[in-house]
Amino acid sequence: MMFTLMQKKLLNNYQQDFPLSTTPYKDIALSLGVSEDDVLLAFSELKNKKFINRIGSIITPNLIGTSSLIAMAIPENQLQSVANIVSSYPEVNHNYERENRFNLWFVLITKNEKDLQSIIEAIETEAGFKTMQLPLLADYFINLGFDIDFDD
Amino acid sequence: MEIDEIDRQIIAATQTGLPLTLKPYQTIADSIGISDEVVMQKIVVMQEQGIIRRIAAVPNHYRLGYKYNGMTVWNIEDKHINEMGECIGQLNFVSHCYHRPRHLPEWPYNLFAMIHSKTEEGVKRQQQIIADLLGQYNLGQDVLYSTRILKKTGLRIR
């Protein structure tokens, strides 16, 4: 991957504190010594090419509402159909296939615990398989960015 | 914790991504029908309350060459779980580190740490570093690689 010096800085330096300002791209432009339009264009390109997922707010899990990681062990020949059922629920925000006996892993997000349990029950009924609930008990969250290594 | 309807709308508008406009908070403010000053003030308050951790450009690890993303899971003695979790959560290659319940007998693991590397040797080395740090408190381990992303959204609240 060939990134310009500005793109590398945009990727690495704004994982923690994207400016909260009327003109955030102008603030970044001033600190990097480039133009506001260049910064917006570079971010748009990084976003369009999917090098960044989004510029957005990072919400602390479970302070507002409830969520849980859920795992299911599904026979290989039924995995796709169960995965489709799971993904069809709007409350599911991630759904991954993983190499394990527990091969389907997803996160459910709801307004409260009661809704969480009723959706789990609905999924189990529709899929015909049990779930394993793995809610957060503690989050060892340390506020550090991920230092991207650009050498290949 | 309770938030008002405006807060909820601000979270909804920002969690999946700010609009890529020169004045993104103004764009959000216009859609809600308030001023950008109020949007930014409310974000500051929600940050102080811990509801919003930060505003961030979130990199796509996979697209940036980090093809090996492992969910490492560990069986840690209960009385050492917090001490060990805090220790592992500090590692620069660990993006998330959580304590979750065991489901015995089929699931003995209670500590989850997501690791990321560009190479298979890299993730193996990272696993070894974690194992060395956990030492005698580690009663068992596994690593689960994702083979397919079936769905992914940025939503954290509904």
Side-chain angles (χ1 to χ4, degrees):
Chain A
M1 273 157 287
M2 293 300 288
F3 290 110
T4 64
L5 184 59
M6 179 172 68
Q7 286 175 321
K8 289 179 183 178
K9 286 181 177 169
L10 296 182
L11 280 164
N12 248 335
N13 299 357
Y14 298 95
Q15 298 178 41
Q16 297 302 308
D17 288 305
F18 184 83
L20 186 59
S21 129
T22 303
T23 53
Y25 300 104
K26 196 174 185 177
D27 295 10
I28 293 170
L30 283 172
S31 77
L32 298 182
V34 294
S35 81
E36 185 183 21
D37 285 338
D38 285 347
V39 172
L40 183 61
L41 195 69
F43 265 127
S44 302
E45 197 177 310
L46 289 171
K47 172 82 172 34
N48 290 339
K49 293 185 176 167
K50 297 187 162 53
F51 291 113
I52 56 174
N53 289 325
R54 66 184 183 281
I55 300 169
S57 56
I58 310 294
I59 310 297
T60 305
N62 297 346
L63 265 182
I64 310 288
T66 306
S67 69
S68 182
L69 178 67
I70 312 278
M72 296 176 86
I74 309 295
E76 194 56 45
N77 62 349
Q78 283 166 274
L79 183 63
Q80 187 62 56
S81 66
V82 173
N84 292 346
I85 290 169
V86 168
S87 293
S88 74
Y89 284 78
E91 293 83 0
V92 171
N93 92 325
H94 282 79
N95 188 12
Y96 284 25
E97 180 188 342
R98 294 190 181 277
E99 287 174 327
N100 193 266
R101 192 171 82 76
F102 289 97
N103 51 359
L104 194 62
W105 292 76
F106 53 96
V107 175
L108 260 184
I109 294 174
T110 58
K111 286 200 167 134
N112 54 49
E113 182 65 25
K114 189 168 152 279
D115 288 1
L116 187 76
Q117 294 308 324
S118 68
I119 287 165
I120 289 169
E121 212 172 285
I123 289 174
E124 287 183 340
T125 305
E126 202 179 334
F129 292 95
K130 285 282 166 202
T131 62
M132 175 166 78
Q133 296 185 38
L134 298 159
L136 273 189
L137 300 177
D139 180 357
Y140 304 109
F141 164 71
I142 317 286
N143 194 8
L144 293 174
F146 187 88
D147 206 10
I148 298 157
D149 172 12
F150 291 105
D151 302 326
D152 286 312
Chain B
M1 201 175 284
E2 287 298 315
I3 54 170
D4 66 23
E5 186 48 37
I6 300 284
D7 287 338
R8 191 169 284 281
Q9 287 185 38
I10 291 171
I11 290 175
T14 58
Q15 67 180 344
T16 51
L18 298 175
L20 281 160
T21 55
L22 286 174
K23 295 182 174 179
Y25 302 106
Q26 182 68 58
T27 308
I28 290 167
D30 291 345
S31 75
I32 301 176
I34 54 178
S35 74
D36 71 334
E37 283 301 319
V38 173
V39 169
M40 291 189 288
Q41 273 166 19
K42 283 188 156 278
I43 290 174
V44 169
V45 171
M46 285 193 277
Q47 281 184 315
E48 285 165 2
Q49 291 172 323
I51 296 168
I52 293 178
R53 279 192 176 151
R54 60 185 192 275
I55 309 287
V58 182
N60 180 340
H61 293 142
Y62 195 86
R63 276 287 278 145
L64 291 164
Y66 292 80
K67 307 283 183 198
Y68 294 85
N69 300 285
M71 183 173 78
T72 67
V73 293
W74 311 82
N75 178 5
I76 306 298
E77 283 182 47
D78 286 328
K79 64 172 185 253
H80 295 288
I81 183 77
N82 287 329
E83 178 196 341
M84 292 295 107
E86 274 154 29
C87 168
I88 303 309
Q90 287 183 40
L91 296 170
N92 65 0
F93 53 79
V94 171
S95 62
H96 301 80
C97 185
Y98 298 128
H99 176 203
R100 298 185 186 278
R102 295 188 184 87
H103 289 261
L104 296 173
E106 67 271 21
W107 189 260
Y109 310 109
N110 58 347
L111 186 70
F112 288 59
M114 300 296 311
I115 60 176
H116 309 272
S117 178
K118 292 186 173 183
T119 63
E120 193 174 357
E121 305 84 73
V123 278
K124 293 237 160 75
R125 199 160 53 236
Q126 291 171 346
Q127 266 178 276
Q128 190 56 50
I129 291 170
I130 296 176
D132 290 346
L133 285 167
L134 295 173
Q136 60 177 331
Y137 302 135
N138 174 24
L139 308 176
Q141 68 192 70
D142 199 354
V143 57
L144 286 73
Y145 292 103
S146 62
T147 38
R148 256 190 315 160
I149 298 174
L150 301 157
K151 183 176 183 181
K152 189 170 191 181
T153 72
L155 293 183
R156 292 305 315 186
I157 73 156
R158 290 193 59 82

